[in-house]
Amino acid sequence: IRGHLTGVLALAKERGQASPNADLGAICEFMMTFADGLLLRRVRDPDFDATGALASMFAMTRAMLAEPLPASNDNQSTDPTP
């Protein structure tokens, strides 16, 4: 599944439908992890409706494909007040 999904994302990148800087491995990992969580939630709660969660996942995926955020390990506040 991972290889196929990464291939689909790579095709979107080749067609110019995704940023050339998009981290396809990270996006694939996000999508698979999110889907795993939805499946676990569904097992716990058979009445769970994943429609809204799926819409959110696709919106986040589109955002990651459009322009990835730069990596940062800076956890310092930029607020000058103590």
Side-chain angles (χ1 to χ4, degrees), residues 35-45:
D36 287 348
L38 288 179
L39 290 172
L40 290 172
R41 175 81 186 268
R42 180 79 174 159
V43 167
R44 263 189 32 238
D45 180 4

Side-chain angles (χ1 to χ4, degrees), residues 9-71:
L9 294 172
L11 183 59
K13 196 175 196 179
E14 289 170 15
R15 291 179 175 175
Q17 297 168 321
S19 167
N21 301 320
D23 183 343
L24 302 184
I27 294 169
C28 181
E29 186 65 30
F30 161 74
M31 292 178 75
M32 293 187 67
T33 302
F34 198 99
D36 287 348
L38 288 179
L39 290 172
L40 290 172
R41 175 81 186 268
R42 180 79 174 159
V43 167
R44 263 189 32 238
D45 180 4
D47 296 325
F48 173 65
D49 181 6
T51 305
L54 284 171
S56 295
M57 183 191 78
F58 288 125
M60 288 184 272
T61 301
R62 279 192 298 276
M64 288 188 289
L65 285 167
E67 192 60 44
L69 295 174

